Amino acid sequence: MQPTVKPKNLNFSSGPCSKRPGYDVRALQLDTLGRSHRSALGKKALGLACSETARILGLPETCRVGVVPGSDTGAVEMALWSLLGARGVDVLAWESFGSGWATDVVKQLKLADARVLKADYGAIVDLTQVNFDRDVVFTWNGTTSGVRVPNGDWIPAERAGLTICDATSAVFAMDLPWDKLDVVTFSWQKVLGGEGAHGMLILGPRAVERLESYTPPWPLPKVFRLTSAGKLSEGIFRGETINTPSMLCVADYLDALNWIESIGGVAGAIARSEANLRVIADFVAANEWISFLATDPATRSNTSVCLSVDLSAEQVKKMVKLLESEGVAYDIGSYKDAPAGIRIWCGATIETSDVAALMPWLAWAYAQVSA
């Protein structure tokens, strides 16, 4: 029978992700609107975006945090073009974004000593094969495959190369070993449900040392330049952005950071996300027609949860459209490059009660389409 209880929040998109519970744009601190981002007021807000990120994440004091253009993609590209080339590089790919970084390294930067370790959707590369005498580029959580690295144990504390980690759907939702990650990038519009177009770049001391001791042989666009006269442009990591940011988006991000702190910080956000994953795991265990795309339970994402359904690709699309037309769930189809299936965002901004309400509707929609 058709369920009677619907999720109160229908926004299960994996990016931009749902706003936090109780979000109201009218509650934002908007005194920066219409002001220069270089004014004292603008710099203060942008500086807070950097310092509060570091404080709430519990970053080592040696880390720098900066706001950069181009969302997570811009932050990753900035790191790749500014840091790579000093030594060989291993690029790990098990979904579309990791594959995109491999394309950048091999076909755009054209690095001669580049090795791509690749796995199919649902699997992960053999992490024991990674060579940390080389630079290593990887995604912590595969947003389009629902496959994440299980932990940071595979990364040695002592290593010659840099670790460059795209963690856009992991930061604030997964426990990251900050001392083992030399570069971390993320965007506001993932786990925090912020707005798009701005990225966060976190640099450890080893990355800073590379920037100040190595000059890439290729020209760098202005929005990628992190150094001046051979020294790190420290202002970027105090809120002096390379180009003009949206101060409305900055206010929205600061609101999201305040909310994270109100739910118990990173630990509270992780707990909310993992509770959402448990609801889906219980549902999958009880229904043989649906399964996790991630084959190994240790590598299952607790944010971007990707599911396979024993229907044709066209039937899966019908199932997704049916749920949207019934006012149950928006934007839960799998990513365009991924195998046909369902993708449900389970980050901290999603209430567990809404995930629970969605599950009977998945069974109903499956029954309607398969019939």
Side-chain angles (χ1 to χ4, degrees):
M1 294 179 62
Q2 187 178 55
T4 57
V5 177
K6 297 180 179 180
K8 293 180 180 179
N9 176 14
L10 315 185
N11 299 329
F12 294 99
S13 164
S14 290
C17 300
S18 177
K19 308 301 284 186
R20 65 170 177 82
Y23 177 81
D24 186 346
V25 70
R26 293 170 296 183
L28 301 183
Q29 183 71 37
L30 299 178
D31 55 349
T32 56
L33 298 195
R35 295 293 306 275
S36 170
H37 63 294
R38 296 187 179 91
S39 67
L41 186 65
K43 285 184 179 179
K44 179 181 178 182
L46 284 159
L48 280 173
C50 299
S51 62
E52 286 295 274
T53 297
R55 183 181 67 82
I56 295 172
L57 286 175
L59 299 183
E61 292 184 0
T62 52
C63 285
R64 271 90 159 181
V65 181
V67 178
V68 299
S71 194
D72 177 66
T73 300
V76 175
E77 297 282 12
M78 181 180 289
L80 299 184
W81 286 73
S82 299
L83 292 164
L84 293 185
R87 58 176 62 235
V89 57
D90 282 0
V91 187
L92 318 184
W94 52 85
E95 48 94 49
S96 60
F97 288 102
S99 297
W101 309 142
T103 297
D104 281 359
V105 169
V106 175
K107 295 186 177 181
Q108 301 300 322
L109 292 173
K110 302 183 189 308
L111 296 184
D113 190 8
R115 186 173 68 140
V116 178
L117 283 68
K118 195 164 187 176
D120 293 332
Y121 276 88
I124 197 168
V125 300
D126 183 354
L127 298 174
T128 66
Q129 297 302 306
V130 180
N131 183 353
F132 288 94
D133 286 335
R134 303 156 66 81
D135 294 332
V136 179
V137 178
F138 70 102
T139 57
W140 190 273
N141 180 76
T143 310
T144 66
S145 68
V147 176
R148 51 162 290 178
V149 295
N151 50 54
D153 295 349
W154 57 287
I155 305 173
E158 300 295 326
R159 56 194 180 278
L162 299 180
T163 50
I164 301 175
C165 178
D166 171 2
T168 193
S169 54
V171 176
F172 291 106
M174 300 173 193
D175 188 20
L176 303 183
W178 296 107
D179 58 327
K180 294 184 175 183
L181 303 175
D182 299 305
V183 180
V184 176
T185 68
F186 71 97
S187 59
W188 300 347
Q189 50 95 1
K190 288 294 185 182
V191 177
L192 295 180
E195 294 303 300
H198 300 79
M200 298 300 286
L201 178 66
I202 302 174
L203 300 180
R206 299 178 73 251
V208 174
E209 181 183 13
R210 171 75 64 84
L211 285 168
E212 294 184 337
S213 63
Y214 166 72
T215 301
W218 44 78
L220 286 177
K222 179 180 179 180
V223 292
F224 284 3
R225 296 174 199 160
L226 291 167
T227 60
S228 177
K231 293 295 182 181
L232 185 71
S233 298
E234 293 283 2
I236 294 172
F237 306 94
R238 295 194 297 262
E240 298 172 13
T241 53
I242 295 173
N243 67 340
T244 306
S246 164
M247 299 310 295
L248 179 58
C249 291
V250 172
D252 185 88
Y253 180 60
L254 292 175
D255 173 83
L257 287 175
N258 288 336
W259 177 74
I260 288 289
E261 190 159 38
S262 76
I263 61 170
V266 176
I270 291 174
R272 286 175 63 91
S273 182
E274 290 181 340
N276 292 336
L277 175 61
R278 283 195 295 272
V279 170
I280 296 179
D282 290 345
F283 179 78
V284 169
N287 293 274
E288 61 182 13
W289 53 268
I290 191 168
S291 60
F292 285 97
L293 184 58
T295 54
D296 181 357
T299 67
R300 286 175 186 163
S301 170
N302 55 297
T303 54
S304 183
V305 179
C306 297
L307 303 165
S308 298
V309 181
D310 64 357
L311 296 172
S312 68
E314 282 304 311
Q315 286 177 311
V316 172
K317 289 180 181 178
K318 288 180 180 179
M319 187 175 167
V320 170
K321 289 181 179 178
L322 179 59
L323 291 168
E324 181 170 345
S325 67
E326 290 289 337
V328 174
Y330 296 146
D331 310 319
I332 63 169
S334 60
Y335 189 72
K336 58 184 177 65
D337 295 335
I342 290 171
R343 183 170 62 153
I344 302 170
W345 183 256
C346 286
T349 60
I350 300 296
E351 297 279 24
T352 303
S353 57
D354 285 331
V355 180
L358 174 60
M359 295 300 100
W361 283 96
L362 290 182
W364 174 81
Y366 173 80
Q368 298 301 306
V369 171
S370 60

